[in-house]
Each structure stands twice: as structure tokens, then as C-alpha cells.
Amino acid sequence: MAPTESDILNQYLLTSASLPSFLTIQELTALFPRSQQSSPQVRTLYRDLQAQRNALIANVEASIENEVKEGRRQRRIAIKQRREAEAQEIDDEVEIERALFGPLPNDRKHNLRTIVPELESAAEDAEVEIRHLEEEEARLLETVRQTVGSLSDLRYSRLSNSKLRDEILEGLKNVEKTCQGKT
């Protein structure tokens, strides 16, 4: 599972943030002159630094928690705005049709009395379109049958133009003469 925002911030800001993780009491004591190293005030200073550091860590933890909450809030707002924008997005084609033809029939609200004629009209339009497509299909099918028939004649050497063979041979001879003349 991918780390969350909270996990990442805690790992990088808090894991090694406590005072003993980067400065031990012995290291702090070694920073003082030898005469002061055994003083109880060094331990008091260390505890004071540790308390300040712990307070800072608590503030950072609170800030991380607030940042995570703010991130969730911003995501909710962004999702809401995106949904609103999608709902309000206007289709360019619909706007062009409205500009050219006026309000579209779909723009008005229908009831049972108004929807039935619209559906009947749409069904009639669909039937007309189907008839046109069937006619086009028949024309294309006939064209394909003629092409297949022509290819079948070619396969079995039954050409509709009986002189075609002689014309092809004549053309090949002309190409051969032309090629010989250039070499």
C-alpha cells in the first residue's frame, strides 16, 4: 500500500527529531570545559533542551494532522467543483444546433402526451434510415457479386474481352522492344 501524506511527513519530520537521536547527554557534556562537565546544570540544560524539542515535535505533529485534514478538505472541494463543472459543461455541437435551428425538441420537458408523438416520429425516421441502408446494402452486394464473378472468369481464363490476351501480349512486345532499344 502506498504511504499516506501523514506517513511521509511523520517519517521525514519526526522519526529522528528527538534530541537523543542526534545529541546524547554525553556528547553535550563533552562540549563543555572539563571543569563544568560534572556540573548538575549540564543535565538540567539537557532536560530543558529535551523539553523544548519535545514541544517543537508536538507542534509539528499537530501541524501534520492539520495539514492532512486540510488536504482532505481540499480534495473534497476539488471533487465537488469537478462534478459541478461536468454537470454545467455545455456540448459545443448542441450549442451550434441551437444557434442554427433554435431550441431543440430535447430542451423542453416532456409528459406522456408530448413524448408519444416524438417517439413515433423518431421511430419513423429510424425506419426510413433502415430502408435507405438496406437499399445501399443491396447495391453494394450486387457490386461485390459482379466483382467476384469477374475474378472467377479471370481464374478460369474465361475473359469477357476475348482480344484481351492478344492486347496484353502486344503490349509486352512493345515494352520489350523499348527496353532493347535503350540498352
Side-chain angles (χ1 to χ4, degrees):
M1 186 165 118
T4 64
E5 180 181 11
S6 177
D7 294 339
I8 293 170
L9 291 172
N10 281 317
Q11 183 179 1
Y12 287 105
L13 297 177
L14 300 178
T15 301
S16 60
S18 65
L19 187 62
S21 64
F22 64 89
L23 181 66
T24 63
I25 185 90
Q26 292 81 13
E27 292 171 333
L28 180 66
T29 305
L31 295 174
F32 286 92
R34 288 214 183 265
S35 61
Q36 299 295 320
Q37 288 180 356
S38 60
S39 171
Q41 290 183 346
V42 173
R43 286 199 179 278
T44 305
L45 176 63
Y46 188 77
R47 284 190 198 107
D48 185 48
L49 288 173
Q50 203 168 18
Q52 289 178 23
R53 189 67 178 184
N54 289 340
L56 180 65
I57 290 171
N59 285 340
V60 170
E61 286 174 335
S63 295
I64 289 172
E65 190 174 317
N66 290 337
E67 190 63 33
V68 169
K69 288 178 184 176
E70 179 64 18
R72 286 187 197 129
R73 187 184 73 76
Q74 288 177 351
R75 278 191 291 280
R76 282 192 305 270
I77 290 171
I79 289 169
K80 181 181 176 185
Q81 288 175 343
R82 185 175 56 231
R83 286 181 184 156
E84 289 173 357
E86 287 172 357
Q88 293 176 355
E89 192 171 284
I90 298 172
D91 189 4
D92 291 339
E93 290 180 18
V94 172
E95 285 302 313
I96 291 171
E97 286 183 24
R98 281 188 184 127
L100 292 174
F101 307 114
L104 300 174
N106 296 341
D107 288 348
R108 62 177 188 245
K109 301 290 182 196
H110 285 287
N111 59 31
L112 189 56
R113 282 187 225 120
T114 61
I115 194 71
V116 172
E118 290 286 335
L119 290 174
E120 288 174 351
S121 173
E124 290 171 5
D125 292 344
E127 288 172 3
V128 168
E129 183 67 24
I130 289 170
R131 279 195 297 274
H132 288 302
L133 289 172
E134 287 172 345
E135 291 169 3
E136 184 178 352
E137 175 196 17
R139 283 193 303 271
L140 290 172
L141 183 60
E142 184 57 34
T143 304
V144 168
R145 284 184 179 150
Q146 288 175 357
T147 303
V148 169
S150 298
L151 291 173
S152 177
D153 289 348
L154 181 62
R155 179 177 182 191
Y156 297 110
S157 300
R158 287 183 271 144
L159 302 175
S160 58
N161 181 358
S162 60
K163 297 179 184 177
L164 182 63
R165 180 178 181 270
D166 296 333
E167 290 173 1
I168 292 173
L169 290 174
E170 181 76 26
L172 289 173
K173 286 179 183 175
N174 287 337
V175 169
E176 187 178 8
K177 286 179 186 175
T178 305
C179 290
Q180 287 175 354
K182 291 189 177 185
T183 57

